[in-house]
Amino acid sequence: MEQVGSTLTATYAHPRPTASNFLPAISTMASSYRNRFPHYALTHSLSLPWRPSTYYKVAAITPTLAPFSRSSQGLTPSNMLPFVSNRTSLFTRYMPDDWYRANLTNFKESEASRHNSERLRVDTSRMIQQTRQTQAEATKDLGERVNDIVFWKSELNHEMDEMIGETNALGDMRKRLERALAETEAPLQVAQECLLHREKRMGIDLVHDDVEKELLTEVDVIHSCQERMRRYLDKTVAQLAADRAAQHELEKDLSDKQAAHRIDDKCYHLRNTSEGIAYFRGVERADATISVPESWAKFTDDNILRSQSERAASSKMRDDIETLLVVTANEMWNQFNRANVAFTKRISETADAKNKIQTHLAKTLQELFQAEMTIEAIRKAIRDKGPAMKVAQTRLDERTRRPNVELCRDSAQIRLVNEVYEIDDTIQMLQQRLRDAEDTLQALVHNKANLEHELAIKANTLYIDQEKCMGMRKTFPNTLKLVGYT
């Protein structure tokens, strides 16, 4: 660029004609002052073909000698000096002031022309530089936009990885909960079968004892644990649906960000020399945008916040399920142990009662034998009294045949009579004892039957409690299975 104020060599489309003399004729100078550069339309070859005619137009500048022209316009032919072709006349055509003014006017016109040319060059250069600067600023904005998209893509990728991990962890916890719920069916079935088996007890042993109370409590505890597990299982399914919905939004947003990143990155690397660039008339007037940077960033931020909120709820859900599994396992184990303790105590009591019944039965059998022996002895004693009675009565009968005064009531007669009475009383007493002994024998037999029945009842109860119930309760699931582990 030329320095401001320096002399420039101007090139004109229609150059100014050079005069043959230093001072041309008055008529010639007057006409040139009036219209120094007549207007001519520029040809097509000089209309700057390297610029699109749609956006630019050629500026035409017609320099004029305004001050001098206005001073010349006031002269009329009558006021002008007469034309004298002889240059040797004694009078002059101009005054020195006119000469100085003409030079000053030329200087000013030259300076104005240079100033206009320089301003045109500066404006043109600024316009060219402005176009380049505008493109550079647009490229810079595209780069910043690409950086913003990359940042949010990284945030979305990180959040998606976290959400996928949390969803998988919650899915595993759901499977654990389902396995733990399935494992509760076996203890429940065992408790219910124990109750059904104990309904087969007989007689007095069909009692609402501590074992039955603990079994009923165990069934209630297992039902309560199952209900809580099912409730948390429904919550887990709902939370998984919410997690997958948030993950879907993240995936959709990430997919849009990836597409936008490809497009903006391609636009960022486009240059004036790139291939595939073309004119798209009216594209700048088509506004297909549906968001602004604030709403654009807020949309992704809301998706991330929603995902973080769902992840926090999912993590809390997993902690609650873990606590639930531990609590329910402890509750079922504790109640199972209490029921087993009640079974052990009841079995011990039943076995002790059975042993006592067996002891009493043995004594009863011994007493039955003694009673039978006593009855047999009484019967033999009664039979033995018969001959003695016969002898005494025969004696009395024979003594009734004594003659006359010989029928004396002597001591022998009295003793024989007393003997008969004594034998008869003894026989009556023995018969009464025989009846009592037989009644006692019947009571002992009845007692023996009762003891044998009670012994059978106790044996049946022991078989149910010890063999059937306790045999099934040996297969209770361990703690690991109750908390959902395989």
Side-chain angles (χ1 to χ4, degrees), residues 180-396:
L181 180 60
E183 287 295 332
T184 59
E185 292 297 330
L188 178 62
Q189 185 177 0
V190 168
Q192 291 175 343
E193 286 186 5
C194 287
L195 288 172
L196 290 176
H197 285 311
R198 284 176 63 82
E199 290 295 324
K200 298 177 183 178
R201 292 173 296 168
M202 298 181 296
I204 194 61
D205 278 10
L206 194 61
V207 63
H208 185 63
D209 54 2
D210 292 338
V211 176
E212 187 171 356
K213 293 178 182 177
E214 294 297 337
L215 287 175
L216 291 174
T217 304
E218 184 176 355
V219 171
D220 293 338
V221 168
I222 295 175
H223 280 155
S224 175
C225 294
Q226 288 179 340
E227 180 63 27
R228 282 180 286 173
M229 288 181 182
R230 292 190 183 96
R231 186 164 60 249
Y232 268 92
L233 189 60
D234 294 339
K235 291 182 180 179
T236 303
V237 172
Q239 185 61 48
L240 280 173
D243 290 350
R244 291 192 180 97
Q247 180 180 344
H248 176 71
E249 293 298 327
L250 291 177
E251 292 174 350
K252 183 179 178 182
D253 196 0
L254 181 61
S255 176
D256 294 342
K257 290 288 186 296
Q258 289 173 347
H261 180 262
R262 287 194 300 270
I263 294 173
D264 286 349
D265 187 66
K266 177 182 178 181
C267 293
Y268 175 73
H269 288 92
L270 282 178
R271 296 294 181 268
N272 293 337
T273 57
S274 299
E275 297 181 357
I277 59 176
Y279 289 111
F280 295 92
R281 301 295 183 182
V283 69
E284 69 279 359
R285 293 190 296 272
D287 188 6
T289 59
I290 61 173
S291 64
V292 296
E294 290 78 10
S295 62
W296 173 79
K298 186 177 183 300
F299 177 78
T300 303
D301 188 59
D302 290 342
N303 287 335
I304 294 176
L305 287 177
R306 176 188 176 186
S307 176
Q308 291 174 349
S309 175
E310 296 298 339
R311 280 198 300 112
S314 178
S315 178
K316 185 177 182 300
M317 179 70 68
R318 288 192 294 110
D319 294 339
D320 293 342
I321 293 174
E322 186 70 33
T323 303
L324 173 68
L325 291 176
V326 173
V327 170
T328 53
N330 291 333
E331 289 179 358
M332 288 187 288
W333 256 110
N334 293 334
Q335 184 58 39
F336 174 77
N337 291 330
R338 284 194 292 268
N340 286 347
V341 170
F343 262 112
T344 303
K345 182 179 178 182
R346 188 62 178 173
I347 290 171
S348 177
E349 292 175 351
T350 305
D352 184 62
K354 179 184 176 183
N355 293 332
K356 290 181 180 180
I357 290 173
Q358 288 176 341
T359 302
H360 284 281
L361 181 60
K363 292 180 179 180
T364 301
L365 291 175
Q366 182 66 27
E367 190 63 28
L368 276 173
F369 177 74
Q370 295 295 332
E372 290 176 352
M373 294 297 293
T374 302
I375 291 172
E376 187 62 29
I378 293 173
R379 288 175 178 174
K380 184 176 181 301
I382 292 174
R383 288 194 303 268
D384 292 341
K385 296 298 181 180
M389 176 66 76
K390 290 178 180 180
V391 170
Q393 289 180 351
T394 300
R395 286 176 177 177
L396 287 174

